[in-house]
């Protein structure tokens, strides 16, 4: 009888276009829009060098410290400045035409000339303030012995590094991944539609199909497990297709821990289905109210997990951390996040354990409600 219920439940689910759309087609469509909107977000974070000029008069030629500093910050792979060495008239002309953000004159202190204020001008001002402070310290040190100025410059050039950057073994950071991780989490929670349908189909006072199931010589729990297994299989197939689409079509990086990624999806799907079943068992009114509750909880959870605004995830952790731990969408999202960014699995394991506890609570709650429900007549 278990196989019979499983088989016909599977056929029924595959013909339910609405649930297939919300758990498969809708996330894929949304992921395509996400990819179009965010595909250049990481690359746009690069810093463009600030176009700057320096006046090459006698003061500049006799200021080796300024010349060396400007040469250093305008060279390399990520220069701060694109520097032009020009006369005073040329510098004023370039500034007036908007071809540079400002020009530098080797006075005491070193001066920055700008036409207007802005982000680039503020960076230049902070940079030159630091240069002036450093040069003032050098002048104080060498005041007693002016001949030692060149020796000080030589010491400054001979810098030593006492720290080393440890190479990260996991994938490099990305600003867009959290959007896709929260999308997967939302899709897992949309499995609640399957859970709602499962409970509806075993409550004889709601549908004719449920009435027929209740008069069948099968224990209600056994029928529920067989039916839920079919729902879980369909939802896992949908989630697998979504993951494959994200990874191999859109090129979303999940890291190298494939088995744990699958486990996260597995647990998240269970949580979604059990949540839907719990809602359906508690709410005795029409399907519209149940759907409204599921969508409200899923979308609110997605927002708090950073799906619409990436920084919201960190705001929640900072201002109301309890919301992060009772929000299943955030727990699923953070599980993917932890696998991608952290070598240690402590945070990941905690997220998975909380999801499993939620699943058990929802499942037990559903069972306790349904086992007490009796019908005078069918």
């Amino acid at each position: 009888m278990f196989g019979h219920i499983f088989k016909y439940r599977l056929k029924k689910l595959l013909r339910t276009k609405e649930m297939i759309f919300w758990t498969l087609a809708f996330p894929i469509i949304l992921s395509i829009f996400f990819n179009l909107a965010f595909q250049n977000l990481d690359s746009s974070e690069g810093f463009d060098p600030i176009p700057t000029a320096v006046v090459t008069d006698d003061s500049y030629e006799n200021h080796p410290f300024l010349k060396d500093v400007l040469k250093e910050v305008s060279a390399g792979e990520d220069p701060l400045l694109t520097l032009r060495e020009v006369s005073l008239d040329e510098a004023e002309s370039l500034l007036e035409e908007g071809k540079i953000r400002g020009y530098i004159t080797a006075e005491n202190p070193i001066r920055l000339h700008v036409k207007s204020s802005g982000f680039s001008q503020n960076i230049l001002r902070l940079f030159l303030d630091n240069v002036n402070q450093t040069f003032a310290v050098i002048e104080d040190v060498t005041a007693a012995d002016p001949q030692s100025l060149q020796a000080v410059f030589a010491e400054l050039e001979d810098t030593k590094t006492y720290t080393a950057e440890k190479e990260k073994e996991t994938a490099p950071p990305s600003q867009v991944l959290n959007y896709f991780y929260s999308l997967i989490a939302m899709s897992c929670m949309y499995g609640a539609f399957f859970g709602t349908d499962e409970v509806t189909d075993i409550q004889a006072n709601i549908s004719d199909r449920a009435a027929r199931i209740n008069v069948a010589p099968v224990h209600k729990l056994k029928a529920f497990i067989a039916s839920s297994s079919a729902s879980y299989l369909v939802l896992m197939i949908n989630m697998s297709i979504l993951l494959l689409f994200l990874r191999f079509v859109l090129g979303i990086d999940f890291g190298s821990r494939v088995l744990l990624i699958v486990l996260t999806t597995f647990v998240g799907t269970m949580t979604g289905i059990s949540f839907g079943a719990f809602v359906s068992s508690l709410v005795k009114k029409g399907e519209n109210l149940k759907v409204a509750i599921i969508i409200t909880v899923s979308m609110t959870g997605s927002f708090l997990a950073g799906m619409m605004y990436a920084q919201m995830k960190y705001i929640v952790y900072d201002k109301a951390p309890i919301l992060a731990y009772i929000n299943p969408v955030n727990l699923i999202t953070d599980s993917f996040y932890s696998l991608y960014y952290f070598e240690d699995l402590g945070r990941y394991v905690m997220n998975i354990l909380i999801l499993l506890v939620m699943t058990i609570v929802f499942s037990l709650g559903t069972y306790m409600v349904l086992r007490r429900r009796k019908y005078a007549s069918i």
Side-chain angles (χ1 to χ4, degrees):
M1 185 59 71
F2 183 95
H4 179 81
I5 296 174
F6 178 87
K7 174 184 175 181
Y8 282 94
R9 179 63 181 173
L10 191 60
K11 287 184 177 181
K12 188 259 184 182
L13 290 173
L14 294 176
R15 293 170 183 170
T16 309
K17 298 179 181 179
E18 294 83 1
M19 286 194 291
I20 300 298
F21 172 81
W22 286 110
T23 57
L24 179 60
F26 178 70
I28 287 178
I29 293 171
L30 197 56
S31 70
I32 293 173
F33 284 117
F34 275 8
N35 190 57
L36 292 174
F38 303 135
Q39 60 182 344
N40 296 320
L41 187 60
D42 286 334
S43 60
S44 66
E45 288 299 303
F47 178 80
D48 293 328
I50 303 170
T52 312
V54 60
V55 176
T56 55
D57 52 13
D58 292 339
S59 298
Y60 177 70
E61 295 298 334
N62 294 322
H63 204 308
F65 176 70
L66 177 60
K67 293 177 69 174
D68 288 344
V69 169
L70 293 179
K71 180 180 178 182
E72 184 72 23
V73 298
S74 59
E77 295 182 0
D78 297 306
L80 176 66
L81 312 175
T82 52
L83 191 65
R84 298 188 186 189
E85 295 184 340
V86 297
S87 65
L88 179 60
D89 291 339
E90 288 178 301
E92 291 177 344
S93 176
L94 290 170
L95 183 62
E96 188 66 28
E97 295 172 3
K99 295 182 178 179
I100 58 173
R101 297 291 179 265
Y103 66 88
I104 300 167
T105 54
E107 304 177 36
N108 193 7
I110 301 165
R111 291 187 60 190
L112 172 67
H113 305 262
V114 297
K115 183 179 178 181
S116 60
S117 61
F119 180 71
S120 298
Q121 289 85 344
N122 288 335
I123 292 178
L124 286 174
R125 186 172 289 109
L126 290 172
F127 164 68
L128 286 181
D129 285 345
N130 185 54
V131 171
N132 279 320
Q133 290 173 9
T134 304
F135 187 66
V137 171
I138 293 174
E139 284 187 321
D140 291 341
V141 171
T142 59
D145 183 11
Q147 300 298 324
S148 65
L149 183 60
Q150 294 298 328
V152 172
F153 287 150
E155 287 295 327
L156 288 175
E157 291 177 357
D158 185 22
T159 58
K160 296 180 180 179
T161 302
Y162 295 96
T163 60
E165 183 178 354
K166 183 179 179 181
E167 184 176 352
K168 193 173 183 291
E169 296 182 3
T170 52
S174 170
Q175 294 192 80
V176 305
L177 289 180
N178 194 73
Y179 293 104
F180 291 98
Y181 291 164
S182 58
L183 173 63
I184 299 169
M186 181 197 72
S187 303
C188 289
M189 290 306 297
Y190 273 178
F193 293 125
F194 286 86
T196 300
D197 199 52
E198 294 301 331
V199 172
T200 299
D201 279 356
I202 62 171
Q203 295 188 79
N205 60 330
I206 294 180
S207 69
D208 294 337
R209 184 187 303 108
R212 292 194 297 271
I213 292 175
N214 273 267
V215 299
V218 182
H219 193 279
K220 186 183 295 185
L221 181 60
K222 183 178 181 180
F224 180 72
I225 293 175
S227 183
S228 298
S229 300
S231 294
Y232 192 78
L233 176 62
V234 173
L235 188 55
M236 276 304 298
I237 292 174
N238 290 350
M239 294 303 303
S240 299
I241 294 173
L242 175 61
L243 290 175
L244 291 172
F245 179 82
L246 292 175
R247 180 64 188 93
F248 295 105
V249 178
L250 298 186
I252 305 304
D253 193 359
F254 293 96
S256 58
R257 295 163 169 169
V258 179
L259 293 179
L260 292 180
I261 291 168
V262 174
L263 175 63
T264 304
T265 308
F266 179 86
V267 174
T269 302
M270 283 198 304
T271 304
I273 292 178
S274 62
F275 170 71
F278 183 63
V279 170
S280 185
S281 65
L282 287 179
V283 179
K284 298 179 181 180
K285 295 187 178 181
E287 289 297 305
N288 291 337
L289 179 58
K290 298 176 183 179
V291 170
I293 293 174
I294 290 171
I295 291 179
T296 300
V297 172
S298 299
M299 297 312 297
T300 302
S302 298
F303 172 72
L304 295 177
M307 182 175 172
M308 294 77 172
Y309 175 55
Q311 296 304 315
M312 181 55 65
K313 175 184 177 71
Y314 308 105
I315 294 173
V316 170
Y317 271 110
D318 182 51
K319 304 297 183 182
I322 186 63
L323 291 178
Y325 295 107
I326 63 174
N327 178 8
V329 181
N330 179 72
L331 292 170
I332 299 169
T333 302
D334 198 62
S335 296
F336 287 112
Y337 181 93
S338 301
L339 290 176
Y340 183 85
Y341 284 106
F342 304 125
E343 297 178 24
D344 181 67
L345 293 178
R347 180 168 171 175
Y348 170 80
V349 170
M350 182 181 67
N351 291 332
I352 294 297
L353 289 177
I354 296 175
L355 285 170
L356 289 173
V357 170
M358 286 184 174
T359 302
I360 293 171
V361 170
F362 291 146
S363 300
L364 289 176
T366 302
Y367 176 71
M368 295 302 294
V369 172
L370 294 181
R371 69 188 290 266
R372 298 177 181 273
R373 195 158 290 174
K374 304 294 183 181
Y375 307 101
S377 62
I378 298 179

